[in-house]
Amino acid sequence: MFDSHDELLTRIHHDLMDGYDEELEMEIEDRHVDALGGALDPEALRQQKENRRTYFRELFRLQAELVKLQDWVQATGHKVVIVFEGRDAAGKGGVIKRITQRLNPRVARVVALPAPSDRERTQWYFQRYVPHLPAGGEIVLFDRSWYNRAGVEKVMGFCTDEQYEAFFRDVPEFEKMIARSGIQLIKYWFSVSDAEQELRFLGRIHDPLKQWKLSPMDLESRRRWELYTKAKEVMLERTHIPESPWWVVPADDKKKARLNCIHHLLSQMPYHEIERPGIELPERMRHEDYRRHQVPGEIYVPQVF
């Protein structure tokens, strides 16, 4: 998969750096995180820093546009559902985090449902997703969705062939109903290569802060790569309809994937900046008889830092 052990370590290093950047995006830093004890040559380090600055600059610009989009959605009562699908470690969670990072969670909320309960398995398949659909002025982001049936459930044998075919008969009508109700449905598939997924899984194995992301299901999905590929191809072919087309996001470069996805998302709605009324901070009311009570010292959080 990789030409040499050094190449593999370098790729894992870059992946770890991407992970650390997730925690540094609120404050751009120039320091170099030497995750694997090696050293990049000065020119590569300079280029890496420049690339990061460019990424942060564009990310913050796009996030400012997302705030405008949020205001427009609220003002117009627009309803939006955004579905994020893709292989494990394809970067869905990363882009969702960047989209919602500066938005009001009462307007833009993420839905990431666990495996269905015994009761839910007896329901109409789409039933547990319906309560999470948006009301006017809301954006709902599905971190995986009803397309579980076309992917993981099919590949892992969690559904019967009859249930699988029933899904493909029903999902176009379900999504047309969503569209007729006035909800805009946008579907993204994050496409990652075999080699890149392997790299990201190795990065999770070697990073104690990310090992929780590796589930037995993730490891099994790695073994069944080709079956997932076939399931994806069938899903895209059978559910790409005018009312809710699929959009494929090349995601081997996580930073580019985030920027491209957000840029595309913004292009899907005719939003414009909503003028906000001026805000003045009111004077605090003061009363001569007001006395602040002393808070018991033992209930303060220890000042360790």
Side-chain angles (χ1 to χ4, degrees), residues 69-79 136-137 270-272 274:
L69 173 65
Q70 169 188 257
D71 292 345
W72 176 82
V73 166
Q74 278 190 289
T76 61
H78 196 57
K79 296 177 284 188
Y271 75 97
H272 55 83
I274 302 297

Side-chain angles (χ1 to χ4, degrees), residues 9-285:
L9 291 180
T10 299
R11 293 292 304 278
I12 293 176
H13 166 79
H14 287 310
D15 192 62
L16 289 174
M17 281 292 294
D18 280 342
Y20 295 138
D21 280 350
E22 293 177 7
E23 307 305 322
L24 297 174
E25 286 179 359
M26 300 301 290
E27 180 179 352
I28 298 176
E29 298 187 13
D30 290 329
R31 68 186 178 188
H32 170 51
V33 182
D34 192 358
L36 298 179
L40 298 178
D41 66 78
E43 177 57 27
L45 181 58
R46 185 199 66 77
Q47 186 61 51
Q48 183 184 78
K49 290 179 178 179
E50 181 58 33
N51 291 341
R52 290 174 67 203
R53 290 190 181 95
T54 300
Y55 165 69
F56 289 131
R57 183 170 59 249
E58 290 303 308
L59 177 66
F60 297 154
R61 180 184 67 81
L62 291 170
Q63 287 180 329
E65 292 299 312
L66 284 170
V67 172
K68 296 177 185 178
L69 173 65
Q70 169 188 257
D71 292 345
W72 176 82
V73 166
Q74 278 190 289
T76 61
H78 196 57
K79 296 177 284 188
V80 188
V81 167
I82 312 167
V83 166
F84 295 88
E85 294 288 346
R87 296 182 189 270
D88 296 312
K92 301 179 297 297
V95 74
I96 290 171
K97 182 187 297 184
R98 296 334 180 276
I99 291 171
T100 60
Q101 191 172 26
R102 303 176 192 282
L103 301 184
N104 183 344
R106 294 181 178 87
V107 177
R109 53 189 169 85
V110 180
V111 176
L113 298 183
S117 66
D118 290 341
R119 179 177 181 275
E120 287 172 331
R121 290 189 183 95
T122 68
Q123 294 176 341
W124 175 49
Y125 177 71
F126 299 97
Q127 187 169 336
R128 73 187 193 121
Y129 297 99
V130 171
H132 299 282
L133 295 177
E138 293 180 351
I139 303 170
V140 174
L141 301 91
F142 277 94
D143 186 352
R144 296 198 182 277
S145 66
W146 45 90
Y147 282 100
N148 275 340
R149 174 139 296 176
V152 63
E153 290 191 16
K154 169 62 175 176
V155 174
M156 302 302 295
F158 294 155
C159 67
T160 65
D161 290 342
E162 291 76 13
Q163 290 171 327
Y164 179 68
E165 286 302 320
F167 170 81
F168 283 121
R169 287 196 305 270
D170 293 346
V171 71
E173 295 306 316
F174 176 64
E175 293 182 356
K176 289 176 184 177
M177 289 170 61
I178 289 176
R180 287 196 298 268
S181 75
I183 298 174
Q184 182 176 4
L185 176 58
I186 304 170
K187 302 185 301 194
Y188 289 113
W189 173 268
F190 278 69
S191 178
V192 66
S193 66
D194 188 354
E196 185 64 24
Q197 187 191 53
E198 180 184 15
L199 171 72
R200 293 179 188 179
F201 277 1
L202 289 172
R204 291 178 179 184
I205 290 171
H206 291 286
D207 185 349
L209 299 180
K210 289 187 175 181
Q211 286 178 0
W212 65 269
K213 291 185 174 183
L214 273 178
S215 69
M217 197 71 67
D218 296 334
L219 299 176
E220 185 61 24
S221 74
R222 180 65 192 158
R223 191 174 71 86
R224 304 191 188 196
W225 171 275
E226 293 179 2
L227 291 176
Y228 271 96
T229 298
K230 182 178 179 180
K232 175 208 66 174
E233 292 169 349
V234 172
M235 181 193 76
L236 294 181
E237 180 181 355
R238 299 184 67 176
T239 62
H240 181 73
I241 61 175
E243 292 81 359
S244 56
W246 280 101
W247 298 99
V248 176
V249 182
D252 274 7
D253 186 317
K254 289 190 286 189
K255 288 186 170 69
K256 288 183 179 179
R258 295 165 191 163
L259 298 180
N260 288 328
C261 182
I262 297 173
H263 181 272
H264 182 268
L265 175 62
L266 291 167
S267 74
Q268 296 303 293
M269 284 164 274
Y271 75 97
H272 55 83
E273 187 168 4
I274 302 297
E275 186 175 349
R276 294 172 175 266
I279 301 175
E280 292 185 8
L281 187 66
E283 290 288 335
R284 191 197 120 186
M285 296 179 63

